[in-house]
Amino acid sequence: MTGSATRLDETPLDEQEVPEAGTAGGALYRRVAADLREAITTGAYGEAGRLPAEGALAERYGVSRGTVRQALAVLRADGLVTSRRGTRRVVLGNARVQSFSELLSFTHWARAMGEEPGGRLESLVRRPADAAEREQLRLEPGAEVYVTLRLRTLSGSAVMVERTVYPPHVGVLVAQLPPDVVSHTEHLREHGILFTDADHTIDVVAANAEDAKLLGCRRGAPLLRERRRTTDPTGCPVEWSQDRYLPGTVAFSVHNSMVTSALSRHARADD
Amino acid sequence: MTGSATRLDETPLDEQEVPEAGTAGGALYRRVAADLREAITTGAYGEAGRLPAEGALAERYGVSRGTVRQALAVLRADGLVTSRRGTRRVVLGNARVQSFSELLSFTHWARAMGEEPGGRLESLVRRPADAAEREQLRLEPGAEVYVTLRLRTLSGSAVMVERTVYPPHVGVLVAQLPPDVVSHTEHLREHGILFTDADHTIDVVAANAEDAKLLGCRRGAPLLRERRRTTDPTGCPVEWSQDRYLPGTVAFSVHNSMVTSALSRHARADD
DNA sequence: AAGTGGTCTAGACCACCAG
DNA sequence: TGGTGGTCTAGACCACTTA
């Protein structure tokens, strides 16, 4: 009923897999979290039902209370459950889970939706970085960057224009990429470039001449813009991208709470 | 140099304040987090510098390592620092802090920017909830809702149209509200309605006739839309709002990482 | 090989909520 | 008043990075 409903010792430990995603990470608390997530989204605790007490869960899974709390913190951050002192946790909603790579990679995202991702590399140039690019990618004056322009499609129809600026050590890899590679993000990962953190800014802009030509819309037509700066595990910027979507093709969702708020609202786009 | 750089015992404990915001929460780890945040944003550790080890921080603040880790988890969620096994944490960027209420309340937000918030209640009606509203607010068939339409201004100029649907127990409070109240969010809080969790969805829509008239734009002109469902500490929905901003007036920012991702991307707006 | 963060445990006390 | 989650401690072992 409740996923496994028994101790996790019975779960095989031999699954290696990718360190990300997958319902069974190596850490104990991740497996507890995965099991509880499964139970919650399946409706085992009802629409707005109450979860068992931390102590009860600890006993059920054969782990300490601290580990249970670590697992529950994951679910709370995802907006799956509430938590307040004095009462058991309450189911908040059926969460929209989405792995990190699924969010950064257009290809992953499209496939996860069952759609066929497509795209075309329109251009790739290497040139000196301007001031803004140097600041975003933390580069020295005089440093060069690689800039790509891609048109992305879903099931054949144009959806988004993506302009990405790469620092040199990443750019050389992108430049060597065969032109028919579907997911450059995947390719970069295989070459040791990891994406772990990202800052996103979302607003609306008018299509310029280039956007209009590629997307097949009028010049000045509104586009949903997402600017994104991604860093690797060492905190080093590896990508600065600007994606422009046709209206009606995409929406972004965020959950936040009084204890965990990664969302903020800004006046005018400072650009 | 580093905020206090000494044990926190010297910090007065008498500050009560609002449980939210404020750099000094009651919990020990919150004070450590606040002190570290201060030090980081001040640049005490440099642009991409390394933080002291957990053990060193524990000793400096006179707390256990567990408490230090709790504090650092806050900063990591905010996108202020990275963290990986084997190396000290690295400063990621100067975070855009924004309290939860500042994000939910147009009035709070405007004042925090130094702008003068204004607004006008265009209409308030009470009527049976439709199917979508019942689902969002988790209401029984036949239940009624209160619907408000507000025009929000910054320094006199129209910026946003806000349509909010309230469940009965909140709606009655809104209906009793004097028409000249600036912040209804504040008013609701004083009456025991607390906002603790929110789900946001951001996309682009075309202005309808009503939007156009209020915002002074053409019908069909693009608007940045934010739909938001807010719940109270018990997990009970208290508000379902749809805000429509004129382009160029606002942008939303999110930080996420491989360990904590509250952001997701959806195909088409399911509405 | 040494240092560092990630994970897990066991136990304690407190603040808060509900019956 | 009893149960619950929030906070804090002390110690342990492991996985990983760096040199």
Side-chain angles (χ1 to χ4, degrees):
Chain A
M1 193 60 60
T2 311
S4 72
T6 56
R7 314 173 124 256
L8 289 177
D9 311 290
E10 305 165 7
T11 307
L13 279 167
D14 44 279
E15 8 204 352
Q16 207 56 21
E17 308 298 321
V18 189
E20 192 194 335
T23 46
L28 209 40
Y29 78 89
R30 287 184 188 280
R31 277 185 277 166
V32 174
D35 191 77
L36 286 173
R37 161 174 278 124
E38 162 77 13
I40 291 170
T41 55
T42 306
Y45 296 113
E47 184 68 44
R50 284 153 70 223
L51 255 52
E54 293 176 356
L57 290 173
E59 194 173 0
R60 173 195 299 181
Y61 289 111
V63 301
S64 78
R65 191 184 158 213
T67 300
V68 167
R69 283 182 61 79
Q70 222 172 335
L72 290 169
V74 173
L75 304 185
R76 185 185 58 177
D78 285 354
L80 259 173
V81 298
T82 59
S83 77
R84 11 165 350 215
R85 197 150 26 190
T87 327
R88 291 194 189 165
R89 286 175 176 77
V90 172
V91 174
L92 251 187
N94 315 37
R96 62 256 135 285
V97 200
Q98 196 161 104
S99 75
F100 189 68
S101 72
E102 190 175 324
L103 214 147
L104 293 189
S105 164
F106 183 85
T107 307
H108 279 191
W109 174 61
R111 285 181 183 149
M113 293 191 306
E115 293 223 51
E116 186 52 32
R120 200 172 57 214
L121 179 63
E122 297 293 330
S123 70
L124 190 163
V125 304
R126 178 177 147 203
R127 57 163 174 73
D130 64 31
E133 291 162 350
R134 282 202 309 272
E135 189 191 336
Q136 289 292 328
L137 298 177
R138 213 185 295 141
L139 297 173
E140 302 298 318
E144 292 199 314
V145 289
Y146 291 72
V147 183
T148 62
L149 173 62
R150 294 190 189 88
L151 173 67
R152 319 300 306 243
T153 61
L154 281 182
S155 305
S157 58
V159 163
M160 185 257 281
V161 166
E162 177 187 294
R163 293 184 181 85
T164 309
V165 184
Y166 298 100
H169 75 284
V170 182
V172 290
L173 294 175
V174 174
Q176 292 167 358
L177 216 79
D180 60 331
V181 166
V182 274
S183 174
H184 52 284
T185 305
E186 242 167 24
H187 194 268
L188 287 176
R189 178 155 52 85
E190 291 164 5
H191 282 259
I193 305 292
L194 298 178
F195 301 75
T196 57
D197 284 80
D199 273 306
H200 311 257
T201 299
I202 300 163
D203 61 0
V204 179
V205 293
N208 61 28
E210 195 173 49
D211 297 331
K213 186 181 152 206
L214 291 170
L215 292 172
C217 62
R218 287 199 317 277
R219 192 161 162 275
L223 301 174
L224 183 62
R225 173 170 70 165
E226 179 213 2
R227 284 176 293 172
R228 175 181 68 246
R229 199 190 65 155
T230 315
T231 52
D232 69 11
T234 72
C236 178
V238 289
E239 177 199 58
W240 187 38
S241 193
Q242 179 168 144
D243 299 355
R244 299 179 170 205
Y245 292 87
L246 280 174
T249 59
V250 75
F252 291 92
S253 289
V254 201
H255 176 88
N256 68 350
S257 70
M258 211 151 65
V259 278
T260 301
S261 181
L263 176 66
S264 61
R265 171 170 54 175
H266 301 285
R268 71 193 85 264
D270 50 345
D271 187 7
Chain B
M1 191 63 57
T2 309
S4 70
T6 56
R7 319 174 121 253
L8 288 177
D9 311 288
E10 305 165 6
T11 307
L13 279 167
D14 44 278
E15 7 203 353
Q16 208 58 21
E17 307 300 320
V18 190
E20 192 193 337
T23 46
L28 210 40
Y29 78 89
R30 287 183 186 281
R31 276 184 278 166
V32 174
D35 191 76
L36 286 173
R37 161 173 279 125
E38 162 77 13
I40 291 171
T41 55
T42 306
Y45 296 113
E47 183 68 46
R50 284 153 71 224
L51 257 53
E54 293 176 356
L57 290 173
E59 194 173 0
R60 172 195 298 179
Y61 289 112
V63 301
S64 77
R65 190 184 158 214
T67 300
V68 167
R69 284 183 59 80
Q70 221 171 337
L72 290 169
V74 174
L75 303 185
R76 184 185 60 176
D78 284 354
L80 260 173
V81 298
T82 58
S83 77
R84 24 184 314 236
R85 193 144 39 183
T87 330
R88 291 196 187 162
R89 286 175 177 77
V90 172
V91 174
L92 210 43
N94 315 37
R96 62 254 138 288
V97 202
Q98 197 162 104
S99 75
F100 189 68
S101 73
E102 190 175 323
L103 214 147
L104 293 189
S105 165
F106 183 87
T107 307
H108 280 191
W109 174 61
R111 284 181 182 148
M113 293 191 305
E115 292 223 50
E116 185 54 31
R120 199 170 60 213
L121 180 63
E122 297 293 330
S123 69
L124 190 163
V125 303
R126 178 177 148 203
R127 58 164 174 72
D130 65 31
E133 291 162 350
R134 282 202 308 273
E135 189 192 334
Q136 289 292 329
L137 298 177
R138 212 186 297 143
L139 296 172
E140 301 299 317
E144 292 200 317
V145 289
Y146 292 71
V147 183
T148 62
L149 172 62
R150 296 190 188 87
L151 174 67
R152 320 299 306 243
T153 61
L154 282 182
S155 304
S157 59
V159 163
M160 186 258 282
V161 166
E162 177 187 294
R163 294 184 180 84
T164 310
V165 183
Y166 298 100
H169 74 283
V170 181
V172 291
L173 294 175
V174 174
Q176 292 168 357
L177 216 79
D180 60 331
V181 165
V182 272
S183 173
H184 52 283
T185 305
E186 243 167 24
H187 193 267
L188 287 177
R189 178 155 53 83
E190 292 164 6
H191 282 259
I193 305 291
L194 299 176
F195 300 75
T196 57
D197 284 80
D199 272 307
H200 311 257
T201 298
I202 299 163
D203 61 0
V204 180
V205 293
N208 61 30
E210 195 174 49
D211 298 331
K213 186 183 153 203
L214 291 170
L215 291 172
C217 62
R218 287 199 316 277
R219 191 160 164 275
L223 301 174
L224 183 63
R225 173 170 70 164
E226 180 213 1
R227 285 175 293 173
R228 177 182 65 246
R229 199 191 64 155
T230 314
T231 51
D232 69 11
T234 71
C236 178
V238 290
E239 176 199 57
W240 188 37
S241 192
Q242 178 168 146
D243 299 355
R244 299 178 170 206
Y245 292 87
L246 280 175
T249 58
V250 75
F252 291 92
S253 288
V254 200
H255 176 88
N256 68 348
S257 71
M258 210 153 64
V259 278
T260 301
S261 181
L263 176 65
S264 61
R265 170 170 55 172
H266 302 286
R268 67 195 84 265
D270 51 345
D271 188 7

